[in-house]
Amino acid sequence: MLHHRSSADEPRALSPRTRALLRVVPLAVLLATPALRGADVDSPYGVTAFVPSPTRWDRMAGAGIGWARCDFSWRMVETAPDVFNWSTTDEEVAQANARGIRIYAGLGYTPAWASNGGRSQDPPRDPADWYDYVYRCVSRYKASVHHWELWNEPNISGFWAGTRTQYINNILKVASDAAHAADPDCMVLAPEISECCNSSDWLRDVLQQAGDKVDIIAVHRYGGGDIPSGRISGIDSQHSYIVSLGYGNKPFWITECGWESDSAGMTEQKQADYLTQMLAGMTARSTWWHTFFWYQIWEGPTGRAGLLCQDETPKPSWYAYRDYTAAHPAPQRVSVNLSTADIYDGITRVVVGDGDTVPATQANRACRRNDNPAEDY
């Protein structure tokens, strides 16, 4: 679902590096947006995929999974200043498009050349370098990719070694401006925090200081006594906290959650049962909990959180995901941009409309999309 952004949102002035890229139309921009079934457009079903093989892409499609969370790491792509290797991300987009799967792209991780410490979790020495990478990446893939993660779990020092203020000012605000300058209709997701490590303080500060830069609130959820009911209770509490901060109008996604089938007290069947319970919890709260990503598609030799074994054969959890999506098709969802002003194209719906051209009133705002008389809403 795409939300209109106000024309008052002016892009930040582009650096010389970014202006130079505008003179070149990258080949990947020509990649077609996936032709999706109506239900897929609003699919709430996702999985963390990293850099999956063709077989894993097939397994995602076979399970009715509509979203793949993939790595579009700055460190992986821009290996030296102005030296880019887009081969992996090009392949990810092509594989997703071929199967009608949408990508949720993870941006983050500093190249060694761009930081003083040289580590992936170190803050960029110059935020303009980060702006340029985000702008290039979103520009390259905006025909296919519309949802962008701004760093993974910045409240954990192994992923972000800077301060919370540095994350808000130099990562989130900078990247959100770059992404929306490249694609005004894209969706920025943040803060992608784990529930550990002062998560409430992080969520409060991000929303209070940069809430206008976040289109969808995304968090990770483990803990909760390591059982589904505990995790769902934690999600309920976190959402109530978001509402109390005045941001209950923003979509809410759980972009990482799962269990390892080889951990103490777990089995492959129990893992599958837990997955079903989490999906049911989302479905029961679908008015505000819009999307769920299982961690992950494929497992390692230990820490077996995957839906697939190491040889890529399905586990019981893959069958559980497939059966749930078949029994619970994605809803046809209407979304409304809750701007303070009336917005002409602020409402979207994935059906041909009734032919009416009169603006509808949603959330006390006039919103009516009527760009195409044959498909007005």
CSV table of all heavy atoms in Angstrom, one decimal, residues 17 73-85 111-113 129-130 132-133 136:
chain,number,residue,atom,x,y,z
A,17,ARG,N,27.9,13.8,-5.3
A,17,ARG,CA,27.9,12.4,-5.7
A,17,ARG,C,26.5,12.0,-6.1
A,17,ARG,O,26.3,11.3,-7.1
A,17,ARG,CB,28.3,11.5,-4.5
A,17,ARG,CG,29.7,11.6,-4.1
A,17,ARG,CD,30.0,10.7,-2.9
A,17,ARG,NE,29.7,9.4,-3.2
A,17,ARG,CZ,29.4,8.5,-2.3
A,17,ARG,NH1,29.2,8.8,-1.0
A,17,ARG,NH2,29.2,7.2,-2.6
A,73,SER,N,22.6,-4.2,2.3
A,73,SER,CA,23.6,-3.6,3.1
A,73,SER,C,24.5,-2.6,2.4
A,73,SER,O,25.0,-3.0,1.3
A,73,SER,CB,24.4,-4.7,3.8
A,73,SER,OG,25.6,-4.2,4.3
A,74,TRP,N,24.7,-1.5,2.9
A,74,TRP,CA,25.6,-0.5,2.4
A,74,TRP,C,27.0,-1.1,2.3
A,74,TRP,O,27.7,-0.9,1.3
A,74,TRP,CB,25.6,0.8,3.3
A,74,TRP,CG,26.4,1.9,2.9
A,74,TRP,CD1,26.9,2.2,1.7
A,74,TRP,CD2,26.9,3.0,3.7
A,74,TRP,NE1,27.7,3.4,1.7
A,74,TRP,CE2,27.6,3.9,3.0
A,74,TRP,CE3,26.7,3.3,5.1
A,74,TRP,CZ2,28.2,5.0,3.5
A,74,TRP,CZ3,27.2,4.4,5.6
A,74,TRP,CH2,28.0,5.3,4.8
A,75,ARG,N,27.4,-1.8,3.4
A,75,ARG,CA,28.8,-2.3,3.4
A,75,ARG,C,29.0,-3.4,2.3
A,75,ARG,O,30.1,-3.5,1.8
A,75,ARG,CB,29.0,-3.0,4.8
A,75,ARG,CG,30.4,-3.4,5.1
A,75,ARG,CD,30.5,-4.0,6.5
A,75,ARG,NE,31.8,-4.4,6.9
A,75,ARG,CZ,32.7,-3.6,7.5
A,75,ARG,NH1,32.3,-2.4,7.9
A,75,ARG,NH2,33.9,-4.0,7.9
A,76,MET,N,27.9,-4.1,2.0
A,76,MET,CA,28.0,-5.1,0.9
A,76,MET,C,28.1,-4.5,-0.5
A,76,MET,O,28.8,-5.0,-1.3
A,76,MET,CB,26.8,-6.1,1.0
A,76,MET,CG,26.7,-7.1,0.0
A,76,MET,SD,25.2,-8.1,0.2
A,76,MET,CE,23.9,-7.0,-0.2
A,77,VAL,N,27.4,-3.4,-0.7
A,77,VAL,CA,27.2,-2.9,-2.0
A,77,VAL,C,28.3,-1.9,-2.4
A,77,VAL,O,28.9,-1.9,-3.4
A,77,VAL,CB,25.8,-2.2,-2.2
A,77,VAL,CG1,25.7,-1.5,-3.5
A,77,VAL,CG2,24.7,-3.2,-2.1
A,78,GLU,N,28.5,-0.9,-1.5
A,78,GLU,CA,29.5,0.2,-1.8
A,78,GLU,C,30.9,-0.2,-1.1
A,78,GLU,O,31.2,0.2,0.0
A,78,GLU,CB,29.1,1.6,-1.4
A,78,GLU,CG,29.9,2.7,-1.9
A,78,GLU,CD,29.4,4.1,-1.6
A,78,GLU,OE1,28.4,4.2,-0.9
A,78,GLU,OE2,30.0,5.0,-2.2
A,79,THR,N,31.6,-1.0,-1.8
A,79,THR,CA,32.9,-1.5,-1.2
A,79,THR,C,34.0,-0.5,-1.1
A,79,THR,O,34.9,-0.7,-0.3
A,79,THR,CB,33.3,-2.7,-2.1
A,79,THR,OG1,33.5,-2.3,-3.4
A,79,THR,CG2,32.3,-3.8,-2.0
A,80,ALA,N,33.9,0.5,-1.8
A,80,ALA,CA,34.9,1.7,-1.8
A,80,ALA,C,34.1,2.9,-2.2
A,80,ALA,O,33.0,2.8,-2.8
A,80,ALA,CB,36.1,1.4,-2.7
A,81,PRO,N,34.6,4.1,-1.9
A,81,PRO,CA,33.9,5.3,-2.3
A,81,PRO,C,33.5,5.3,-3.8
A,81,PRO,O,34.4,5.2,-4.7
A,81,PRO,CB,34.8,6.4,-2.0
A,81,PRO,CG,35.7,5.9,-0.9
A,81,PRO,CD,35.9,4.5,-1.2
A,82,ASP,N,32.2,5.4,-4.1
A,82,ASP,CA,31.7,5.4,-5.5
A,82,ASP,C,32.0,4.1,-6.3
A,82,ASP,O,32.0,4.1,-7.5
A,82,ASP,CB,32.3,6.6,-6.3
A,82,ASP,CG,31.8,7.9,-5.7
A,82,ASP,OD1,30.6,8.0,-5.5
A,82,ASP,OD2,32.6,8.8,-5.5
A,83,VAL,N,32.3,3.0,-5.6
A,83,VAL,CA,32.5,1.7,-6.2
A,83,VAL,C,31.3,0.8,-5.7
A,83,VAL,O,31.3,0.5,-4.5
A,83,VAL,CB,33.8,1.1,-5.9
A,83,VAL,CG1,33.9,-0.3,-6.5
A,83,VAL,CG2,35.0,2.0,-6.3
A,84,PHE,N,30.5,0.4,-6.7
A,84,PHE,CA,29.2,-0.3,-6.3
A,84,PHE,C,29.2,-1.6,-7.0
A,84,PHE,O,29.5,-1.8,-8.1
A,84,PHE,CB,28.0,0.6,-6.7
A,84,PHE,CG,27.9,1.9,-6.0
A,84,PHE,CD1,28.5,3.0,-6.6
A,84,PHE,CD2,27.3,2.0,-4.8
A,84,PHE,CE1,28.5,4.2,-6.0
A,84,PHE,CE2,27.2,3.3,-4.2
A,84,PHE,CZ,27.8,4.4,-4.8
A,85,ASN,N,28.7,-2.6,-6.2
A,85,ASN,CA,28.4,-3.9,-6.7
A,85,ASN,C,27.0,-4.3,-6.4
A,85,ASN,O,26.6,-4.7,-5.3
A,85,ASN,CB,29.4,-5.0,-6.1
A,85,ASN,CG,29.1,-6.4,-6.6
A,85,ASN,OD1,28.2,-6.6,-7.4
A,85,ASN,ND2,29.9,-7.3,-6.2
A,111,PRO,N,30.3,0.7,5.7
A,111,PRO,CA,31.6,0.2,5.0
A,111,PRO,C,32.8,0.6,5.8
A,111,PRO,O,32.8,1.7,6.5
A,111,PRO,CB,31.6,0.8,3.6
A,111,PRO,CG,30.2,1.3,3.4
A,111,PRO,CD,29.6,1.6,4.7
A,112,ALA,N,33.8,-0.2,5.8
A,112,ALA,CA,35.1,0.2,6.5
A,112,ALA,C,35.6,1.5,6.1
A,112,ALA,O,36.1,2.3,6.9
A,112,ALA,CB,36.1,-0.9,6.2
A,113,TRP,N,35.5,1.9,4.8
A,113,TRP,CA,36.0,3.1,4.3
A,113,TRP,C,35.3,4.3,4.8
A,113,TRP,O,35.8,5.5,4.8
A,113,TRP,CB,36.1,3.2,2.8
A,113,TRP,CG,34.7,3.1,2.1
A,113,TRP,CD1,34.1,2.0,1.7
A,113,TRP,CD2,33.8,4.2,1.9
A,113,TRP,NE1,32.9,2.3,1.2
A,113,TRP,CE2,32.7,3.6,1.3
A,113,TRP,CE3,33.9,5.6,2.2
A,113,TRP,CZ2,31.6,4.4,0.9
A,113,TRP,CZ3,32.8,6.3,1.8
A,113,TRP,CH2,31.6,5.8,1.2
A,129,ASP,N,27.6,10.6,3.2
A,129,ASP,CA,27.9,9.4,2.5
A,129,ASP,C,26.7,8.4,2.6
A,129,ASP,O,26.4,7.7,1.6
A,129,ASP,CB,29.2,8.7,3.0
A,129,ASP,CG,30.4,9.5,2.7
A,129,ASP,OD1,30.5,10.2,1.7
A,129,ASP,OD2,31.4,9.5,3.5
A,130,TRP,N,26.2,8.3,3.8
A,130,TRP,CA,25.0,7.5,4.1
A,130,TRP,C,23.8,8.0,3.2
A,130,TRP,O,23.1,7.2,2.6
A,130,TRP,CB,24.7,7.5,5.6
A,130,TRP,CG,23.4,6.9,6.1
A,130,TRP,CD1,22.5,7.6,6.8
A,130,TRP,CD2,22.9,5.6,5.9
A,130,TRP,NE1,21.4,6.8,7.1
A,130,TRP,CE2,21.7,5.5,6.6
A,130,TRP,CE3,23.4,4.4,5.3
A,130,TRP,CZ2,20.9,4.4,6.7
A,130,TRP,CZ3,22.6,3.3,5.4
A,130,TRP,CH2,21.4,3.3,6.1
A,132,ASP,N,23.8,9.5,0.4
A,132,ASP,CA,24.0,9.2,-1.0
A,132,ASP,C,23.8,7.8,-1.3
A,132,ASP,O,23.2,7.4,-2.3
A,132,ASP,CB,25.5,9.5,-1.4
A,132,ASP,CG,25.7,11.0,-1.6
A,132,ASP,OD1,24.8,11.8,-1.8
A,132,ASP,OD2,26.9,11.5,-1.5
A,133,TYR,N,24.2,6.9,-0.4
A,133,TYR,CA,23.9,5.4,-0.6
A,133,TYR,C,22.4,5.2,-0.6
A,133,TYR,O,21.9,4.5,-1.5
A,133,TYR,CB,24.6,4.5,0.4
A,133,TYR,CG,24.2,3.1,0.2
A,133,TYR,CD1,24.6,2.4,-0.9
A,133,TYR,CD2,23.3,2.5,1.1
A,133,TYR,CE1,24.2,1.1,-1.2
A,133,TYR,CE2,22.9,1.2,0.9
A,133,TYR,CZ,23.3,0.5,-0.3
A,133,TYR,OH,22.9,-0.8,-0.5
A,136,ARG,N,20.8,6.5,-3.8
A,136,ARG,CA,21.1,5.7,-4.9
A,136,ARG,C,20.3,4.4,-4.9
A,136,ARG,O,19.8,3.9,-5.9
A,136,ARG,CB,22.6,5.3,-5.0
A,136,ARG,CG,23.6,6.4,-5.3
A,136,ARG,CD,25.0,6.0,-5.2
A,136,ARG,NE,26.0,7.0,-5.5
A,136,ARG,CZ,26.6,7.2,-6.7
A,136,ARG,NH1,26.3,6.4,-7.7
A,136,ARG,NH2,27.4,8.2,-6.8
